[in-house]
Amino acid sequence: MIIHPLHLLLLLIKILLFRSIFALDFVFNGFDSSDLLIYGNATLESRVLTVTNDTTFSIGRALYQSKIPTKSPNSSAVLPFSTSFIFSIAPSKSKNILPGHGLVFIFVPSTGIDGSSSAQHLGLFNRTNDGDSNNHVFGIEFDVFENQEFNDRSDNHVGIDVNSLTSVTAEDAGYWPDDDDSFEELSLNNGVNYQVWIDYLDSQLNVTMAPVGLRRPRQPLMAVDLNLSDVLLEEMYVGFCGATGRLAENHRILSWSFSNSNFSLSEELITMNLPSFVPPNNSFFRSKGFIAGITVATIVAIGFSILISLVLVKGKQRRRRDREAMEDWELEYWPHRMTYQDVSTATKGFSEENVIGIGGNGKVYKGVLVGGIEVAVKRISHESGDKMREFLAEVSSLGRLKHRNLVGLRGWCKREKESLILIYDYMENGSLDKRVFECEESMILSWEDRVRVLKDVAAGVMYLHEGWEARVLHRDIKASNVLLDKDMNGRLADFGLARMHGHGQVANTTRVVGTVGYMAPEVVRSGRASAQTDVFCFGVLILEVACGRRPIEDGKPPLVEWVWGLMERGELVSALDERLKARGGFDDEEVERVLHLGLLCAYPDHHSRPTMRQVVKVLEGKSEVDELEEEGMNVYLLDKLKSTKMWSKHRRSLGRGGHPTFKEIRESLTSSMPLFGSDIIVEGR
Ligand SMILES: *[C@@H]1O[C@H](CO)[C@@H](O)[C@H](O)[C@H]1NC(C)=O
Ligand SMILES: *[C@@H]1O[C@H](CO)[C@@H](O)[C@H](O)[C@H]1NC(C)=O
Ligand SMILES: *[C@@H]1O[C@H](CO)[C@@H](O)[C@H](O)[C@H]1NC(C)=O
Ligand SMILES: *[C@@H]1O[C@H](CO)[C@@H](O)[C@H](O)[C@H]1NC(C)=O
Ligand SMILES: *[C@@H]1O[C@H](CO)[C@@H](O)[C@H](O)[C@H]1NC(C)=O
Ligand SMILES: *[C@@H]1O[C@H](CO)[C@@H](O)[C@H](O)[C@H]1NC(C)=O
Ligand SMILES: *[C@@H]1O[C@H](CO)[C@@H](O)[C@H](O)[C@H]1NC(C)=O
Ligand SMILES: *[C@@H]1O[C@H](CO)[C@@H](O)[C@H](O)[C@H]1NC(C)=O
C-alpha cells in the first residue's frame, strides 16, 4: 500500500486530536485486582489473570475497569487503537482431557457474562445470539477446537469475530519471521507464552503474534480491511473471555497494554522472567499410564515410523499423480459430471436468495436442473489441498453409496483447480432439528414420526457400517445432519467427515472431529473414531429427538446424564418431550424402550454399546432381549445391567455393592484406562 504524505499528515493530526481529547493509555505488567472487573470463573493469582483453569465447563471474563472511548463523539469515526498482550494456553494436568476451547480478546458493550455459554461458544455468545448484529461485539479468538458449526479452519487458529463465532477471517496460529519467508506455525495450547499485537487504524486491522521475547514480526499474521463503525458503540468495555467445555485447558493473560495514540506502547510490556506454564516433560513419565503404556507406545511408535516412511516414499509419487489419479477415478465413478454452466443456471448464478443452508463446508443452494429436477448444490470454494482431499473422500464415498436413507449424490462439477461443487437430491422437508427444536407447534414431529425417522437413520448408519466393502464412519451424526425428504423419510447427510477404512480395523485420526455434545468419551480422550463412536452419536440423537432437548444446554446437566438420572429414579418416561406429552399419541412402554436404547448406545464404555445392526433390530421390534443376549450383547435393558459382566466389573472396581451411578462408571473408566496411545496421536499432529 502506498500512503500519500498528505494522508499521513492527516492521520497524524487525527491521532494527535484523539490523543488530546480522548487518549487512553494503560500498561499492566501483571494485574492488581483494582485493574480489572472479573466475572464467572476467572481469577487473579500472583498478578496473573486466569481466565479459566482446566475445570470443565467454565467461563471466565475480565474487562478493563471502565468503559473506554471507541468513537469520536457524534461521529461514526472509530478511534485508532493499538493493544498488545501476553497469553498462555496450557493443557490440562489431567492427561485424559483433550484441550479446548479458546481465548478471545474482546470489545463488548456491557459488563458481566450474561448470555454467554461455555464450550464452543468461548464464553462470548450463546446458541441464540451468535451472529446477531445487535451484539456489538468484536473479538480476536485463539481457538484450539475445529468446530464445524462455525466453519473453523483448523484446531489451532486465530480468527477475527464480528458479532459471531463464525470468523470474518481466520489463519492458523503462527508468524512470519522477518528474515525468512516461510511461515512458522505456533501451537496455541502448549503452555508457551505468546505475545499478540492488535492494531487498528483507518479501517485496517492487523493481528500479529510471536513467541514472547521475539521482536514484533514486520509482517502481520492477518491484515484486513474492516470498518468497525457499525460494530463498536461510542464507548465499549475491552478485555478477555474464554471457556472450557468437556474439553478443557488453562487460559491465562500475563500482561496487557492498550493505547489510542501510541502505537509503540507495547514495548512497555516486560518479556523477561515471566512465569512459565509449559507442562514439565517428566509429568508424563511419572503418570500411572506410562509403565503400562510404554510397551504399547513402543509398538505403536514402531508402527507409526514404518507408516510414516511408507507415506514419505509414496507421498512424492502420489502428489505428482494426484491430478491424473483423480481423472481416472472420475471416469470410473462419475458418469454424472455436470458443466459449471448448468449448475450456475440452476442456482440462478449462486444467488443469495437460493441459499438454503450453511454447512460445515460451505453454502448450500437450492437449484432446479433442466427438466425441473430440484437439487441442493453444495459449493466448496477455494479450498486448500487438505480440504480438497476431504471432499474427494466425501464424493467418492457418497457417490458410490446408494441407500434410501442416505441423501443421494446426483453429480458433481469442478470449477478451476481448487473448487468443487456437489449436487445432491433436494430434501423438501429440511432438517430434523428444525422439526424437533425450532418450529411452530404444527410443524413438530409426532412421536410416531420421530421413531420412524430414527429407524431410517439407523438403517442409513448400518448401511454405512456394514453395507459396503469398506466401512464408512459418519463421525458427525446429529439432528441437523438428518434431512427429511418429501415423504418425510429420514436421510443422513453430510459425509464431509467420512473417511473410509477396511472392515475390522480401527480408524486412526490425528485430529478430533465432530460436534461438541455428540462426541463419545473415548473420542474426547483419544481422538479415535470407530463404529462405536457413531453408535454413541446415534444414542445422543435418539435422546435429543425423544426428549426435545439439545445434548448440551446452558445451566442444565448434559442430556445423557440427565436421562440416566431419571432412569435410575424410575422416572424415565418423564424425559419425553413436553410438547409430545401434551399431545399424546405414544405408548409409555415404547417410549421407555426407545430411551433405554438411546442410553445404551450412549453408554460411556464403548465395549458395551450395541452394534448398529442390533440397534436396527431393536427399533424394528424384531429383537427381544434374550435374543440380543444370545448374540453376545451382554447389556440391553439397563436395569438388567446388574446381572451382566460389565456391571459387576464396575461394581468391583468401585469396591462396593449396589448400583454405580452414571458418573461413577464414567469416572472409573477414565481412571482405569490410561491413554498412552492418545498422547502419541494427539501430539503427533
Ligand atoms: C464457575 O462459575 C459458575 C457460575 O458463575 C459456578 O456455578 C461454578 O461453580 C463455577 N465453577 C467453579 C469451578 O468455580
Ligand atoms: C479453578 O478455578 C475455580 C474458580 O473459578 C476454583 O474454585 C478451583 O479451585 C480452580 N481449580 C484448580 C484446580 O485450580
Ligand atoms: C454531541 O451531540 C450532543 C447532542 O446530540 C451535544 O450535546 C454535544 O455537545 C455534541 N458533542 C460534540 C463534541 O459535538
Ligand atoms: C443468549 O443471550 C441473550 C442475551 O445476550 C439472552 O437474551 C438469551 O436468552 C440467551 N439465550 C440462551 C439460550 O441462553
Ligand atoms: C498493517 O500491516 C501492513 C503491512 O505490514 C502495514 O502496511 C500497515 O500500516 C499496518 N496497519 C496498521 C493499522 O498497523
Ligand atoms: C465506515 O462505515 C461508516 C458507516 O457505516 C462510514 O460512515 C465511514 O465512512 C466508514 N469508514 C471508512 C474509513 O470507510
Ligand atoms: C510511546 O511509547 C513508547 C514506549 O513506552 C515511548 O518510548 C514513546 O515515547 C511513546 N511516544 C509518545 C509519543 O508518547
Ligand atoms: C522438554 O523436552 C524438550 C525436548 O525433548 C526440550 O526442548 C524442552 O526444553 C524440555 N522442556 C522442559 C520444561 O524441560
Side-chain angles (χ1 to χ4, degrees):
M1 195 173 75
I2 298 163
I3 303 177
H4 195 276
L6 190 64
H7 206 123
L8 267 183
L9 189 69
L10 278 174
L11 276 184
L12 195 67
I13 292 171
K14 240 191 235 174
I15 290 178
L16 286 176
L17 262 179
F18 290 144
R19 184 180 163 69
S20 54
I21 313 172
F22 324 104
L24 172 85
D25 288 352
F26 58 78
V27 178
F28 297 130
N29 277 303
F31 302 91
D32 285 325
S33 54
S34 59
D35 298 336
L36 299 172
L37 305 170
I38 286 186
Y39 304 95
N41 303 117
T43 52
L44 256 186
E45 229 174 287
S46 324
R47 299 183 57 78
V48 172
L49 166 66
T50 302
V51 179
T52 79
N53 60 20
D54 58 1
T55 311
T56 53
F57 294 102
S58 52
I59 303 181
R61 185 175 288 196
L63 301 173
Y64 180 64
Q65 70 226 8
S66 60
K67 277 193 171 178
I68 61 159
T70 38
K71 279 185 186 171
S72 35
N74 302 348
S75 116
S76 64
V78 178
L79 298 185
F81 64 81
S82 169
T83 187
S84 180
F85 55 90
I86 295 174
F87 75 91
S88 153
I89 300 180
S92 174
K93 280 199 196 72
S94 154
K95 269 283 168 186
N96 44 33
I97 296 188
L98 285 177
H101 277 261
L103 181 71
V104 197
F105 169 75
I106 46 173
F107 279 90
V108 288
S110 55
T111 56
I113 49 168
D114 289 347
S116 66
S117 299
S118 59
Q120 75 270 35
H121 295 102
L122 304 182
L124 186 54
F125 299 118
N126 62 34
R127 188 186 300 282
T128 48
N129 66 5
D130 183 69
D132 185 343
S133 60
N134 293 322
N135 286 338
H136 293 288
V137 167
F138 164 65
I140 309 290
E141 64 171 38
F142 298 82
D143 188 343
V144 306
F145 182 76
E146 179 177 355
N147 202 310
Q148 307 284 319
E149 201 176 336
F150 305 127
N151 298 339
D152 283 351
R153 69 172 276 128
S154 69
D155 58 358
N156 189 54
H157 65 271
V158 183
I160 298 172
D161 297 347
V162 173
N163 292 326
S164 169
L165 289 162
T166 304
S167 303
V168 178
T169 312
E171 289 294 339
D172 289 342
Y175 69 107
W176 297 93
D178 284 346
D179 49 4
D180 197 344
D181 41 3
S182 65
F183 184 71
E184 285 283 333
E185 181 154 353
L186 297 174
S187 168
L188 290 174
N189 61 43
N190 56 7
V192 169
N193 296 331
Y194 294 117
Q195 184 166 7
V196 175
W197 296 265
I198 301 166
D199 293 332
Y200 183 80
L201 178 63
D202 260 16
S203 295
Q204 183 169 43
L205 177 75
N206 286 0
V207 179
T208 313
M209 73 179 288
V212 155
L214 223 65
R215 271 187 66 85
R216 171 191 184 136
R218 276 194 298 272
Q219 183 178 348
L221 173 63
M222 287 187 275
V224 294
D225 290 324
L226 185 67
N227 187 344
L228 290 174
S229 176
D230 293 336
V231 188
L232 300 183
L233 305 174
E234 265 186 26
E235 293 183 314
M236 302 283 284
Y237 285 97
V238 61
F240 303 90
C241 70
T244 65
R246 187 184 289 177
L247 312 174
E249 63 196 2
N250 300 279
H251 301 105
R252 296 186 179 92
I253 306 289
L254 284 70
S255 54
W256 181 22
S257 73
F258 186 97
S259 174
N260 288 119
S261 55
N262 187 343
F263 276 48
S264 312
L265 196 64
S266 61
E267 287 161 19
E268 295 284 311
L269 293 187
I270 296 168
T271 56
M272 306 274 282
N273 299 324
L274 292 169
S276 167
F277 300 100
V278 178
N281 283 342
N282 59 3
S283 67
F284 174 62
F285 295 92
R286 268 201 237 112
S287 76
K288 269 191 289 172
F290 180 71
I291 308 291
I294 186 77
T295 356
V296 179
T298 314
I299 296 166
V300 173
I302 292 171
F304 261 110
S305 48
I306 293 173
L307 221 127
I308 286 169
S309 44
L310 280 179
V311 168
L312 284 180
V313 173
K314 284 254 170 91
K316 244 189 198 155
Q317 304 168 355
R318 185 177 315 135
R319 236 165 294 141
R320 201 175 325 123
R321 276 206 323 251
D322 249 350
R323 179 112 335 125
E324 295 124 59
M326 196 173 139
E327 305 297 333
D328 294 348
W329 164 92
E330 284 169 12
L331 291 176
E332 196 172 339
Y333 304 116
W334 299 106
H336 303 308
R337 183 168 183 169
M338 298 183 188
T339 67
Y340 182 77
Q341 196 50 47
D342 285 349
V343 180
S344 177
T345 310
T347 55
K348 300 189 190 146
F350 294 98
S351 84
E352 283 300 310
E353 71 188 70
N354 279 33
V355 173
I356 48 174
I358 300 181
N361 301 323
K363 284 188 181 165
V364 183
Y365 300 80
K366 182 177 176 176
V368 181
L369 295 178
V370 181
I373 301 157
E374 289 181 320
V375 290
V377 175
K378 189 166 172 183
R379 182 182 188 165
I380 301 131
S381 50
H382 59 83
E383 291 300 347
S384 59
D386 260 6
K387 284 266 169 160
M388 191 71 175
R389 226 160 294 142
E390 239 170 66
F391 294 126
L392 294 186
E394 173 167 17
V395 174
S396 70
S397 53
L398 235 195
R400 298 168 68 188
L401 293 164
K402 292 257 181 284
H403 189 269
R404 61 184 291 268
N405 299 119
L406 300 179
V407 175
L409 182 69
R410 284 200 157 256
W412 67 289
C413 141
K414 214 165 67 169
R415 168 83 165 162
E416 281 147 19
K417 260 181 282 175
E418 299 267 279
S419 170
L420 195 61
I421 294 163
L422 303 177
I423 299 109
Y424 295 92
D425 288 337
Y426 180 66
M427 295 291 119
E428 283 81 355
N429 283 306
S431 71
L432 176 61
D433 71 329
K434 296 257 159 54
R435 296 300 192 114
V436 173
F437 301 110
E438 297 149 12
C439 63
E440 302 154 19
E441 197 59 37
S442 63
M443 303 270 284
I444 290 178
L445 286 186
S446 68
W447 170 254
E448 211 180 309
D449 286 335
R450 292 186 195 196
V451 174
R452 193 175 41 73
V453 170
L454 287 173
K455 284 180 192 168
D456 290 344
V457 178
V461 182
M462 183 176 105
Y463 175 75
L464 289 179
H465 284 183
E466 300 183 10
W468 207 51
E469 72 260 30
R471 167 169 283 169
V472 179
L473 299 181
H474 188 287
R475 289 167 192 252
D476 203 15
I477 298 169
K478 58 183 175 185
S480 57
N481 274 343
V482 174
L483 302 183
L484 301 168
D485 66 15
K486 65 177 190 311
D487 303 321
M488 297 297 280
N489 293 314
R491 286 167 173 250
L492 205 45
D494 204 349
F495 290 69
L497 299 172
R499 313 261 203 301
M500 278 170 291
H501 58 99
H503 279 296
Q505 285 172 284
V506 179
N508 253 323
T509 172
T510 53
R511 293 186 317 151
V512 184
V513 287
T515 302
V516 177
Y518 294 86
M519 286 190 301
E522 72 271 16
V523 175
V524 175
R525 283 196 309 267
S526 70
R528 288 154 74 99
S530 63
Q532 287 96 342
T533 60
D534 272 357
V535 173
F536 182 93
C537 298
F538 183 73
V540 177
L541 178 78
I542 292 185
L543 297 182
E544 69 176 330
V545 167
C547 306
R549 241 189 80 171
R550 296 192 185 270
I552 292 185
E553 287 184 8
D554 292 333
K556 294 185 184 165
L559 177 61
V560 180
E561 249 160 81
W562 177 69
V563 179
W564 192 287
L566 292 173
M567 191 268 301
E568 282 170 341
R569 292 199 299 276
E571 299 165 11
L572 191 53
V573 179
S574 70
L576 187 68
D577 191 339
E578 294 297 333
R579 291 165 302 180
L580 290 182
K581 279 186 209 161
R583 207 187 249 217
F586 58 88
D587 165 62
D588 277 6
E589 213 171 289
E590 190 181 26
V591 171
E592 277 198 11
R593 196 162 60 109
V594 169
L595 287 171
H596 273 135
L597 183 66
L599 285 173
L600 186 57
C601 292
Y603 197 74
D605 183 354
H606 59 99
H607 299 299
S608 293
R609 292 178 206 144
T611 63
M612 276 325 284
R613 179 172 293 277
Q614 291 168 321
V615 170
V616 168
K617 277 191 170 179
V618 173
L619 278 173
E620 295 290 343
K622 283 190 194 136
S623 187
E624 286 309 317
V625 182
D626 296 347
E627 216 177 299
L628 279 167
E629 276 171 350
E630 263 167 41
E631 285 182 32
M633 183 173 71
N634 52 9
V635 277
Y636 167 51
L637 285 171
L638 294 165
D639 51 5
K640 293 215 163 200
L641 270 171
K642 275 177 289 186
S643 57
T644 68
K645 267 196 293 193
M646 248 353 265
W647 192 257
S648 44
K649 197 180 101 198
H650 288 307
R651 195 160 45 184
R652 261 203 314 280
S653 72
L654 289 164
R656 63 168 174 76
H659 257 54
T661 63
F662 181 76
K663 222 173 135 197
E664 284 169 333
I665 295 177
R666 199 179 56 195
E667 277 161 12
S668 84
L669 282 170
T670 316
S671 59
S672 67
M673 286 210 273
L675 286 151
F676 23 85
S678 73
D679 291 326
I680 294 166
I681 290 167
V682 173
E683 284 165 11
R685 302 177 232 227

